[in-house]
Amino acid sequence: MKPGPKNLITDVPGLLVGNASDAQLKSGSTVLLAAEPLTASVHVMGGAPGTRETDLLAPDKSVAKIDALVLSGGSAFGLDACSGVVDGLRAEGRGFALGPAIIPLVPGAILFDLLNGGNKDWLDNPYRALGRAAFEDASDDFSLGSHGAGTGALTAMLKGGLGSASFVLESGVTVGALVAANPMGSVTTPGDRHFWAAPFEVDGEFGGAGPDSAVGLGRSLDSRKMKSMRALAAGEELPAERGNTTIAIVATDAALTKAECQRIATAAHDGIGRATVPAHAPGDGDLVFAASTNARRLANPEMELGQIGHAAALCLSRAIARAIYSATPEDHDLLPCWSACQI
């Protein structure tokens, strides 16, 4: 396996990603689009997901393909980013046709970034406009870190962000991951230098610090994030496991059914567990979409499906670390960036 030319999910031919952010809001939205509708499914391992239209992605549901996928900040408000993408697709005449009616199908998932130092005192929900702006921004190249759905993301100890990574398999199949990392857990070991995902790093893509040589790691659940959020809440009690979530998309050009996409999404969750400690908590909304462009037929689907799932998990671990590595400082941040802690 080798990273694709951009080391982004858009190395999967035909995929585009758009970001939109509001610096004052400290939030944003991200959309994944394709030239043609995508086969897709989803798997949720967090206990508190926030989603839109994910039921139709179950293998037993009749909808065969979808038009876009959305990741957004904003908690429940952020689900309206999907409406902005629906508006953009409809304007282009794209969607499921039922007689003269055109219905764009846009599942989405959100993360909690309402207590991150941004101005959340809006009169009208801003996320529909952010979704439409992300749709208009869609390209095969996009920025990582403090952009799109990762704009206001926080990990336990450092700023979170938007990340992506890819692999091209020996068979020629391309696999990529896109993630907005806002977990309850940490992505680095104590000291803020070494990433949990370090064993899976390729060519110094997130700093090249290597694995932590310490032993007995993972027992501390210290969280600057919770301390800062409680301070922002003016002393009001906050549940220790609320206000988190890692939401992701893994994608491939391999031709997959909805059931096979669901299996890839399930396997990809290992990437969250390898890059974030702890992961999949009861109050997290950890979720992975899996999508296929169906461009490349598999010679041996049973064997290759396992390889694709493994590659998706590796890409997701790398994408999470790249998200935090790429985060940049902004005014009124609650937590430091990884780069600021290396001085």
Side-chain angles (χ1 to χ4, degrees), residues 175-202:
V175 178
L178 176 70
V179 63
N182 182 64
M184 182 191 84
S186 65
V187 297
T188 53
T189 63
D192 302 324
R193 175 164 174 76
H194 299 277
F195 287 95
W196 292 109
F200 313 110
E201 185 176 16
V202 180

Side-chain angles (χ1 to χ4, degrees), residues 163-234:
S164 191
S166 70
F167 269 138
V168 180
L169 282 59
E170 289 187 20
S171 64
V173 166
T174 301
V175 178
L178 176 70
V179 63
N182 182 64
M184 182 191 84
S186 65
V187 297
T188 53
T189 63
D192 302 324
R193 175 164 174 76
H194 299 277
F195 287 95
W196 292 109
F200 313 110
E201 185 176 16
V202 180
D203 297 331
E205 62 192 336
F206 42 88
D212 196 329
S213 62
V215 296
L217 298 171
R219 293 177 293 170
S220 172
L221 297 180
D222 189 27
S223 176
R224 296 188 188 115
K225 177 179 180 176
M226 285 309 304
K227 292 175 183 175
S228 298
M229 287 172 60
R230 283 173 176 150
L232 201 63

Side-chain angles (χ1 to χ4, degrees), residues 146-172:
S146 304
H147 296 275
T151 300
L154 303 170
T155 75
M157 304 301 283
L158 301 168
K159 280 191 74 171
L162 187 77
S164 191
S166 70
F167 269 138
V168 180
L169 282 59
E170 289 187 20
S171 64

Side-chain angles (χ1 to χ4, degrees), residues 285-304:
D286 294 349
L287 171 152
V288 179
F289 294 109
S292 165
T293 64
N294 295 292
R296 182 183 288 270
R297 296 291 166 186
L298 299 180
N300 188 340
E302 186 172 337
M303 179 187 72
E304 292 183 75

